[in-house]
Coordinates of all heavy atoms in Angstrom, one line a residue:
D1387 N 21.9 -34.9 -12.0 CA 21.2 -36.1 -11.9 C 21.9 -37.1 -11.0 O 23.1 -37.0 -10.7 CB 21.0 -36.7 -13.3 CG 22.3 -37.2 -13.9 OD1 23.0 -36.4 -14.6 OD2 22.6 -38.4 -13.7
G1388 N 21.2 -38.1 -10.5 CA 21.8 -39.1 -9.6 C 21.3 -39.1 -8.3 O 20.2 -38.5 -8.0
V1389 N 22.0 -39.7 -7.3 CA 21.6 -39.8 -6.0 C 22.0 -38.5 -5.2 O 23.1 -38.2 -5.2 CB 22.1 -41.1 -5.3 CG1 21.6 -41.1 -3.8 CG2 21.7 -42.3 -6.0
V1390 N 21.0 -37.9 -4.6 CA 21.3 -36.7 -3.8 C 20.8 -36.9 -2.4 O 19.9 -37.8 -2.2 CB 20.7 -35.4 -4.4 CG1 21.3 -35.1 -5.7 CG2 19.2 -35.5 -4.4
G1391 N 21.4 -36.3 -1.4 CA 21.0 -36.5 0.0 C 21.7 -35.6 1.0 O 22.7 -34.9 0.6
G1392 N 21.4 -35.8 2.3 CA 22.0 -35.0 3.3 C 21.4 -35.3 4.7 O 20.8 -36.3 4.8
V1393 N 21.4 -34.2 5.4 CA 20.8 -34.3 6.8 C 19.8 -33.2 7.0 O 20.1 -32.0 6.7 CB 21.9 -34.3 7.9 CG1 21.3 -34.3 9.3 CG2 22.9 -35.5 7.7
A1394 N 18.6 -33.5 7.4 CA 17.6 -32.6 7.7 C 17.5 -32.2 9.2 O 17.8 -33.0 10.0 CB 16.2 -33.0 7.3
P1395 N 17.1 -30.9 9.5 CA 17.1 -30.5 10.9 C 16.0 -31.1 11.7 O 15.0 -31.6 11.2 CB 16.9 -28.9 10.7 CG 16.2 -28.8 9.5 CD 16.7 -29.9 8.6
P1396 N 16.0 -31.0 13.1 CA 15.0 -31.5 13.9 C 13.7 -30.9 13.5 O 13.6 -29.7 13.2 CB 15.4 -31.1 15.3 CG 16.9 -31.0 15.2 CD 17.2 -30.5 13.8
G1397 N 12.6 -31.7 13.6 CA 11.3 -31.3 13.3 C 10.9 -31.4 11.8 O 9.7 -31.1 11.4
T1398 N 11.8 -31.9 11.0 CA 11.5 -32.0 9.5 C 10.6 -33.3 9.4 O 10.8 -34.3 9.9 CB 12.8 -32.3 8.8 OG1 13.6 -31.1 8.9 CG2 12.5 -32.6 7.3
T1399 N 9.5 -33.0 8.6 CA 8.6 -34.1 8.1 C 8.6 -34.3 6.6 O 8.0 -35.3 6.2 CB 7.1 -33.9 8.7 OG1 6.7 -32.6 8.1 CG2 7.1 -33.8 10.1
R1400 N 9.3 -33.4 6.0 CA 9.2 -33.5 4.5 C 10.5 -32.7 3.9 O 10.8 -31.7 4.4 CB 7.9 -32.8 3.9 CG 7.8 -32.9 2.4 CD 6.6 -32.0 1.9 NE 6.5 -32.1 0.5 CZ 5.9 -31.1 -0.2 NH1 5.4 -30.0 0.4 NH2 5.8 -31.2 -1.6
V1401 N 11.1 -33.2 2.9 CA 12.1 -32.6 2.2 C 11.9 -32.7 0.7 O 11.5 -33.9 0.2 CB 13.5 -33.2 2.5 CG1 14.6 -32.6 1.5 CG2 13.9 -32.9 3.9
T1402 N 11.9 -31.7 -0.1 CA 11.7 -31.6 -1.5 C 13.0 -31.3 -2.2 O 13.8 -30.6 -1.6 CB 10.6 -30.8 -1.9 OG1 11.0 -29.4 -1.6 CG2 9.3 -31.1 -1.3
V1403 N 13.1 -31.8 -3.4 CA 14.3 -31.4 -4.3 C 13.7 -30.8 -5.5 O 13.0 -31.4 -6.2 CB 15.2 -32.5 -4.6 CG1 16.3 -32.2 -5.5 CG2 15.7 -33.3 -3.4
T1404 N 14.0 -29.5 -5.8 CA 13.6 -28.8 -6.9 C 14.6 -28.7 -7.9 O 15.8 -28.3 -7.7 CB 13.1 -27.4 -6.5 OG1 12.2 -27.4 -5.5 CG2 12.5 -26.6 -7.8
T1405 N 14.4 -29.1 -9.2 CA 15.4 -29.1 -10.3 C 15.3 -27.8 -11.0 O 14.4 -26.9 -10.9 CB 15.0 -30.2 -11.2 OG1 13.8 -29.9 -12.0 CG2 14.9 -31.5 -10.5
F1406 N 16.3 -27.6 -11.9 CA 16.4 -26.3 -12.6 C 15.2 -26.1 -13.6 O 14.9 -25.0 -13.9 CB 17.7 -26.4 -13.4 CG 17.6 -27.3 -14.7 CD1 17.2 -26.8 -15.9 CD2 18.0 -28.6 -14.6 CE1 17.1 -27.7 -17.0 CE2 18.0 -29.5 -15.5 CZ 17.5 -29.0 -16.8
D1407 N 14.6 -27.2 -14.0 CA 13.4 -27.0 -14.9 C 12.1 -27.0 -14.2 O 11.0 -27.3 -14.8 CB 13.4 -28.2 -15.9 CG 13.4 -29.5 -15.3 OD1 13.6 -29.6 -14.1 OD2 13.3 -30.5 -16.1
G1408 N 12.1 -26.9 -12.9 CA 10.8 -26.8 -12.1 C 10.2 -27.9 -11.6 O 9.1 -27.9 -11.0
R1409 N 10.9 -29.1 -11.8 CA 10.3 -30.3 -11.2 C 10.5 -30.3 -9.7 O 11.5 -29.9 -9.2 CB 11.0 -31.6 -11.8 CG 10.7 -31.8 -13.2 CD 11.5 -32.9 -13.8 NE 12.9 -32.6 -13.8 CZ 13.9 -33.5 -13.8 NH1 13.6 -34.8 -13.7 NH2 15.2 -33.1 -13.9
T1410 N 9.5 -30.9 -8.9 CA 9.7 -31.0 -7.5 C 9.7 -32.4 -7.2 O 8.7 -33.2 -7.5 CB 8.6 -30.3 -6.7 OG1 8.6 -28.9 -7.0 CG2 8.7 -30.5 -5.3
L1411 N 10.7 -33.0 -6.5 CA 10.8 -34.4 -6.2 C 10.7 -34.5 -4.6 O 11.2 -33.8 -3.9 CB 12.1 -35.0 -6.7 CG 12.5 -34.8 -8.1 CD1 13.9 -35.3 -8.4 CD2 11.4 -35.5 -9.1

């Protein structure tokens, strides 16, 4: 839990974060 982040490659229009319990953020 908490703030997560990073750098996405060229061409990216969407980034999702999937949790261990199946949630997609």
Side-chain angles (χ1 to χ4, degrees):
D1387 70 271
V1389 181
V1390 299
V1393 177
T1398 298
T1399 60
R1400 181 190 181 207
V1401 171
T1402 63
V1403 178
T1404 305
T1405 67
F1406 72 92
D1407 57 352
R1409 291 173 295 158
T1410 297
L1411 308 174

